[in-house]
Amino acid sequence: MSGCHNGDVDGMEQGSEDWTAPGAFPVADGVHRIPLPLPSDGLRAVNVYALETDDGLTLVDGGWAITEARERLERSLALIDHKVTDINRFLVTHMHRDHYTQAVALRRETGAHVTLGGGERATLELLAERPEGAAADNAQASRLRRAGAPELAERWERAVSEHPPPTGDYELPDSWLEGDVALTVGERTLDAVATPGHTRGHYVFADAAAGLLFAGDHVLPSITPSIGFEPAVAALPLRDFLSSLAKVRALPDLTLLPAHGAVAGSTHARIDELVAHHDVRLDLCEAAVLAGAGTAYEVAARLPWTRRDRALGELDVFNAMLATLETMAHLDLLVATGRLVGDGPDGTDATDGGLLRYAPPAS
């Protein structure tokens, strides 16, 4: 589990080189995959995709606004006879800093148009009110206390205080996507498909004619995306995520162009794996509650984490936070579907910030 994702990264791209290696790699006519570095992140890189048009470049995602990523982008674009000033549009899959912030930074320089899903508005408005990261970090600490993990919440707050995230570059986009819409990019038509779950405003972009899915973090080839890592969290982010998976599964089977990891051959196959993974996790969470675990933290401590089946206590504070809150998302869905009961301050839930306990339904 690393960054905003769970699991362990597979480093090889379809039997060839490390997918994080620098360059501009063709994935279809007029489409290049450009991996950009991430700072102090186990994922090591994020893929942005450059789409060539007669008027310049459209990039799907922008990367993290750090010097190393900016320099890598310049060198990679030069390999396909382009430069940063050729970018006239960013289609950003979601608001996480490794996808959004460099698009905003380059907009100031080049005037490129930045588009983002409308579901991200609440989070971006929170981040605009406070220093970048503060709103998210406070939200996670509050949710950890609801999950029965006050000591982990304190460790998280201390870690953020000692190593604050970079500031800035969380401005609003130029335009918002609402619903499912068709976008014209040069001679291409991209179907912008709303896929909430990983974040409330996540989008994927499908090029049906070319058989491509620019999937962002919604469908990743070898790890599972975190659920609801954002200040303005949805009521049931896992339900949203699974519904979004079903929505994309109903599209034709496309080549998977992920934000992290190698290009993969079948969106359908990977979606089926992700759904099966969450079915197993739901069963494990339910079994842990039936065996006596009462809070999300207690349940998370009984579950294996990453493909190496690590214990919760073996994870660093960031990934322990993600694991605990993802467990809460699974438990909340089990409550919503009647498989468990949530016992908060009002007898049903803890939306007012109190400790939330879970129990089997009364027989």
Side-chain angles (χ1 to χ4, degrees):
M1 184 165 55
S2 181
C4 296
H5 314 87
N6 299 331
D8 298 311
V9 178
D10 287 336
M12 303 306 289
E13 177 157 6
Q14 297 185 323
S16 61
E17 296 181 353
D18 182 346
W19 72 269
T20 69
F25 303 94
V27 295
D29 289 343
V31 181
H32 288 81
R33 182 184 65 83
I34 298 175
L36 300 179
L38 300 179
S40 303
D41 194 302
L43 287 172
R44 296 162 45 219
V46 59
N47 292 320
V48 303
Y49 294 90
L51 284 64
E52 296 178 289
T53 75
D54 290 340
D55 298 325
L57 297 175
T58 291
L59 262 60
V60 176
D61 285 335
W64 192 320
I66 56 173
T67 300
E68 299 94 316
R70 166 59 189 265
E71 293 175 348
R72 177 77 60 80
L73 180 60
E74 288 181 341
R75 292 195 299 269
S76 299
L77 289 177
L79 296 174
I80 54 173
D81 298 322
H82 283 287
K83 51 189 180 295
V84 167
T85 52
D86 293 335
I87 304 169
N88 54 36
R89 189 180 193 185
F90 287 96
L91 300 176
V92 184
T93 58
H94 63 294
M95 52 65 59
H96 283 157
R97 59 174 66 97
D98 56 326
H99 298 256
Y100 186 62
T101 56
Q102 184 158 250
V104 173
L106 289 175
R107 174 178 65 180
R108 299 191 200 107
E109 177 182 342
T110 68
H113 187 100
V114 176
T115 298
L116 186 68
E120 310 290 40
R121 185 189 293 269
T123 283
L124 287 187
E125 289 177 348
L126 282 174
L127 291 171
E129 294 172 3
R130 286 177 269 184
E132 191 262 294
D137 300 332
N138 292 341
Q140 307 320 316
S142 176
R143 294 175 69 210
L144 286 171
R145 291 186 172 92
R146 280 189 58 204
E151 292 182 0
L152 179 57
E154 291 177 6
R155 288 173 53 209
W156 169 244
E157 289 173 323
R158 187 165 56 250
V160 171
S161 175
E162 293 172 354
H163 303 285
T167 58
D169 296 324
Y170 260 128
E171 301 169 4
L172 298 182
D174 298 293
S175 61
W176 300 99
L177 292 169
E178 301 291 350
D180 298 346
V181 295
L183 304 175
T184 300
V185 179
E187 296 183 356
R188 299 175 186 276
T189 297
L190 297 185
D191 293 317
V193 182
T195 51
H198 179 57
T199 66
R200 293 172 65 176
H202 195 289
Y203 267 78
V204 301
F205 302 97
D207 183 344
L212 306 174
L213 183 74
F214 300 92
D217 283 357
H218 181 57
V219 183
L220 298 170
S222 58
I223 53 178
T224 60
S226 64
I227 304 300
F229 180 61
E230 55 192 333
V233 182
L236 290 171
L238 181 59
R239 180 188 62 186
D240 296 342
F241 178 66
L242 294 173
S243 296
S244 294
L245 286 179
K247 185 178 183 181
V248 177
R249 183 62 170 78
L251 300 175
D253 197 10
L254 306 172
T255 296
L256 174 61
L257 304 182
H260 307 282
V263 173
S266 171
T267 53
H268 287 181
R270 182 54 182 158
I271 289 170
D272 292 345
E273 292 173 352
L274 290 169
V275 172
H277 165 81
H278 284 288
D279 285 344
V280 169
R281 301 301 283 189
L282 287 164
D283 289 344
L284 289 174
C285 288
E286 181 182 33
V289 172
L290 294 175
T295 67
Y297 186 69
E298 290 172 354
V299 172
R302 299 189 183 205
L303 302 182
W305 295 98
T306 83
R307 291 183 301 176
R308 296 186 176 90
D309 289 342
R310 292 173 174 160
L312 182 67
E314 297 179 64
L315 304 180
D316 61 51
V317 63
F318 179 75
N319 288 307
M321 176 271 295
L322 286 180
T324 301
L325 298 185
E326 179 160 316
T327 301
M328 179 182 281
H330 283 79
L331 292 166
D332 287 345
L333 183 57
L334 290 170
V335 170
T337 55
R339 292 170 63 178
L340 295 177
V341 173
D343 181 16
D346 64 358
T348 56
D349 60 38
T351 53
D352 62 355
L355 176 65
L356 177 57
R357 294 186 176 275
Y358 300 87
S363 57

